[in-house]
Amino acid sequence: MDHADLIEEIMALKRQRNAVILAHSYQRPEIQDIADFVGDSLALARHAKQAECDVIAFCGVRFMAETACILNPTRTVLLPDAEAHCSLEASCPAEELADFLKKNHEKNYYVIAYINCSIGVKALADVIVTSGNAHIIVAHAPQDRPILFVPDSNLGAWCARRTGRAITLWNGACHVHRLFTRDHILRAKKEHPEAEVVCHPECEEVVRLLADHICSTEKMIDYCRESGAKSFIIATEVGILHRLRKLVPGKEFIPVQLGQCSCAECEFMKLNTIEKLRNCLRDMTPRVEVSEELRLRALQPLQRMLEFSH
Ligand code: 13P
Ligand code: SF4
């Protein structure tokens, strides 16, 4: 079957199932191009909450599809590849967090959880954040309670620096953003001295210190559009370059080279393919389902986040 036939089949299945296709900016270009909406975790959560359809085909990783289930429980949520996980989520198992909170009960931590975590971790949190709103929510955290930030130590440290708040950091990180080193950035800057460096807050501090701007994937688009610069070195998963080139024409986007011809790719995000998207809409599987008890507990901190970020 050629690509055009496959696209036509997906469109027909979408109508038949009354489905919407949501995709994260790290998805393969052909998935982004067919999606009804492409965005960062925050925009995807908002869209999932409002989706008026029977089925959400979520082209992203599991925690994003789970978030859709939490916010819009009457929809069927499909994830094209059931193995699309996230290393950051894996770095904070819910049982370990529960154990830590129990052992440190007297501290009465205000738990801020980055959305890249399991529903079990969300259920233990006071509030959820994304890379797009984390610093604002941290700044508004209660002054009379110590903050525990899970699971991303890099995003947490960036928020601490931006807000001046003391934060206890969980020792988690994203294996993709960890790949960028000071040397990679310095080499890219040497090769493209005119370019600005834009990085995701999941990058290590040595990389963040070399960046002209640090922001979520969504804000990268606004920043590059509005900046006077004509070229940008982008330190995040390479999938965002497709969106940047589409939405900000006339400017140059340079992925940070990690080796001779390799860029930073999230293998979990890339597990979803256009064929698997067709298959999930055709077979109505793999589905993402969550327990109602956990859903109700995770809903509160998620709603708190959405109220903050109008
Ligand atoms: P954004 O919310 O900025 O899209 O980040 C999600 C993510 O998984 C980054 O690795
Ligand atoms: Fe998770 Fe990192 Fe992949 Fe984002 S890039 S989904 S944080 S593993």
Side-chain angles (χ1 to χ4, degrees):
M1 182 183 274
D2 73 13
H3 187 71
D5 290 339
L6 190 54
I7 300 298
E8 210 170 290
E9 190 181 349
I10 292 173
M11 296 314 272
L13 283 165
K14 214 176 76 138
R15 282 191 295 275
Q16 186 190 330
R17 302 290 189 201
N18 187 25
V20 295
I21 300 172
L22 303 184
H24 187 264
S25 309
Y26 297 164
Q27 291 293 290
R28 294 168 186 275
E30 60 276 20
I31 292 185
Q32 295 192 28
D33 291 345
I34 200 180
D36 295 293
F37 179 78
V38 186
D40 69 352
S41 311
L42 179 59
L44 285 166
R46 283 207 190 101
H47 261 75
K49 185 174 156 66
Q50 290 155 10
E52 285 180 16
C53 57
D54 296 319
V55 173
I56 299 174
F58 209 116
C59 301
V61 289
R62 177 164 291 268
F63 77 80
M64 297 178 176
E66 262 182 13
T67 302
C69 293
I70 298 166
L71 292 170
N72 206 340
T74 58
R75 315 295 178 220
T76 299
V77 179
L78 303 170
L79 182 63
D81 191 307
E83 298 305 313
H85 294 287
C86 166
S87 58
L88 198 40
E89 170 181 343
S91 64
C92 184
E95 312 73 55
E96 274 182 36
L97 176 60
D99 217 39
F100 178 88
L101 292 173
K102 208 166 153 194
K103 282 194 189 119
N104 293 280
H105 182 68
E106 78 294 344
K107 292 232 167 69
N108 190 24
Y109 278 119
Y110 185 74
V111 181
I112 302 186
Y114 185 29
I115 198 164
N116 295 39
C117 65
S118 66
I119 187 170
V121 167
K122 288 185 177 75
L124 292 168
D126 290 286
V127 67
I128 307 297
V129 299
T130 73
S131 54
N133 57 24
H135 57 290
I136 302 165
I137 294 177
V138 165
H140 285 89
Q143 296 285 347
D144 58 347
R145 287 175 69 186
I147 299 172
L148 173 68
F149 193 99
V150 301
D152 188 17
S153 54
N154 288 308
L155 178 64
W158 178 63
C159 289
R161 191 179 267 267
R162 278 195 79 168
T163 60
R165 298 292 301 265
I167 299 180
T168 301
L169 301 170
W170 190 265
N171 187 19
C174 158
H175 75 295
V176 180
H177 288 84
R178 252 193 163 160
L179 294 173
F180 300 116
T181 64
R182 189 179 143 77
D183 284 353
H184 291 133
I185 308 298
L186 289 176
R187 193 181 331 131
K189 275 165 85 89
K190 201 168 165 200
E191 283 167 15
H192 306 276
E194 71 300 339
E196 285 193 348
V197 177
V198 181
C199 90
H200 195 277
E202 284 175 24
C203 292
E204 302 277 339
E205 185 170 32
V206 285
V207 169
R208 298 198 307 272
L209 286 171
L210 290 172
D212 294 289
H213 194 66
I214 305 165
C215 60
S216 74
T217 54
E218 203 64 34
K219 293 199 172 135
M220 282 184 188
I221 294 161
D222 301 333
Y223 179 78
C224 294
R225 193 183 275 133
E226 282 152 28
S227 162
K230 290 274 173 277
S231 55
F232 302 87
I233 296 160
I234 304 293
T236 191
E237 211 270 359
V238 70
I240 187 70
L241 272 86
H242 179 66
R243 265 191 95 197
L244 284 164
R245 288 174 180 146
K246 234 168 126 170
L247 298 178
V248 193
K251 294 199 176 182
E252 188 192 8
F253 297 100
I254 305 146
V256 175
Q257 292 294 322
L258 301 177
Q260 276 272 294
C261 46
S262 71
C263 302
E265 273 208 342
C266 174
E267 65 270 38
F268 300 118
M269 284 279 182
K270 286 343 191 226
L271 279 176
N272 297 322
T273 61
I274 196 95
E275 287 82 8
K276 289 181 198 168
L277 172 59
R278 183 267 318 271
N279 297 350
C280 80
L281 283 166
R282 182 190 62 202
D283 306 336
M284 292 296 282
T285 184
R287 287 184 195 204
V288 176
E289 285 165 321
V290 298
S291 92
E292 186 59 7
E293 186 261 332
L294 272 183
R295 188 187 79 79
L296 290 173
R297 283 168 50 206
L299 183 61
Q300 288 183 16
L302 260 173
Q303 268 174 341
R304 219 163 273 148
M305 169 187 86
L306 291 174
E307 281 157 21
F308 251 108
S309 18
H310 275 304

